[in-house]
Amino acid sequence: MTHVTDLMRPPFPAERGVESYNLKLGMWVFLASEVMFFTGLIGSYIILRFGVSEPWAAPNAVLNVPLTAANTFLLICSSVSMVKAFAAISDGDQKGLKFWLLMTILMGAAFVGVQIFEYTKLIQHGFTAAVFLEGSLMAEHALADPVKYGAATAGLYGSTFFIMTGFHGFHVTCGVVSMLYLFFKKALPGKYSQHDYRGIETIGLYWHFVDLVWIILFTIVYLI
């Protein structure tokens, strides 16, 4: 008589599944949801900007484009350093992993710091998420040249600007905090190896996504 366990045993060797592990698959699913989130934000911005009849402020009139361009370059460099960190641990180079991961953390933190500085200066000049503050430098410019500074759409421009860039800045901050955790808990004690570096690969996917989103945001908000 056939034993019960024989009935439960598969007749053929099980085929290999998708070459992915749970952390990586989970990150891809999360990034897919983030794509939909940022697509909604960016799509709303485009519709609002080009759908209104009143003039929209020229980006170089309100925003510090050169500063943000340099900050964008810094974020792109951090994406490169993340690739270097991944390549280092793939080769079993512990020192390279620690160095390049630390560089990524520092550049990511610097990006957030520059963004906070930018926000501070914009608010000081009267550019807020609601209106140009009365009596501020921005309000005076808008009064002198309402078309160039988009006086009629100041609130709409400010709200969309701070929401999109603010949410992205929040994502960058979360990435920096996550990398700090990996650096002190995993990389620094040498817990990653040439055969197990899943955490680095997973956070790398997230960081490259954040970098790509910012390139899109910088183009449509600061350049167009």
Side-chain angles (χ1 to χ4, degrees):
M1 184 175 66
T2 305
H3 198 271
V4 175
T5 54
D6 294 332
L7 294 174
M8 298 176 62
R9 186 179 297 115
F12 303 102
E15 296 182 359
R16 299 187 65 177
V18 179
E19 293 294 334
S20 181
Y21 43 84
N22 290 341
L23 289 176
K24 187 176 180 181
L25 179 61
M27 178 55 71
W28 277 116
V29 173
F30 171 72
L31 292 181
S33 68
E34 290 293 281
V35 167
M36 293 185 285
F37 174 77
F38 278 104
T39 299
L41 284 181
I42 295 172
S44 299
Y45 172 82
I46 293 174
I47 292 172
L48 289 172
R49 177 172 179 177
F50 296 101
V52 296
S53 57
E54 298 293 340
W56 200 271
N60 59 355
V62 178
L63 307 176
N64 191 336
V65 178
L67 175 66
T68 309
N71 208 26
T72 301
F73 178 74
L74 186 65
L75 191 64
I76 293 173
C77 290
S78 74
S79 191
V80 174
S81 64
M82 174 57 76
V83 172
K84 299 286 286 185
F86 175 77
I89 194 58
S90 298
D91 295 333
D93 183 5
Q94 294 285 347
K95 293 181 64 176
L97 167 66
K98 295 171 186 177
F99 174 78
W100 290 113
L101 183 59
L102 181 60
M103 290 298 101
T104 307
I105 293 170
L106 292 177
M107 285 187 280
F111 176 87
V112 176
V114 172
Q115 191 171 37
I116 293 174
F117 173 80
E118 179 191 21
Y119 280 7
T120 302
K121 288 298 182 180
L122 287 174
I123 294 173
Q124 286 178 352
H125 292 163
F127 182 58
T128 68
V131 292
F132 291 155
L133 295 179
E134 186 177 353
S136 65
L137 179 64
M138 201 64 66
E140 293 177 1
H141 288 327
L143 186 62
D145 192 343
V147 175
K148 180 179 180 181
Y149 288 89
T153 57
L156 193 59
Y157 182 29
S159 60
T160 53
F161 169 80
F162 282 107
I163 288 174
M164 289 196 301
T165 58
F167 267 114
H168 180 269
F170 172 74
H171 281 73
V172 175
T173 303
C174 290
V176 171
V177 172
S178 299
M179 287 188 290
L180 279 171
Y181 172 82
L182 293 180
F183 181 78
F184 286 107
K185 290 292 185 179
K186 298 287 187 177
L188 208 57
K191 294 183 179 180
Y192 287 122
S193 68
Q194 188 176 5
H195 306 290
D196 183 11
Y197 45 83
R198 291 173 293 179
I200 298 299
E201 185 176 11
T202 304
I203 193 63
L205 291 173
Y206 176 84
W207 197 250
H208 296 319
F209 170 78
V210 167
D211 190 5
L212 177 61
V213 169
W214 178 252
I215 292 174
I216 298 172
L217 286 178
F218 176 71
T219 302
I220 67 172
V221 175
Y222 288 83
L223 300 181
I224 298 178

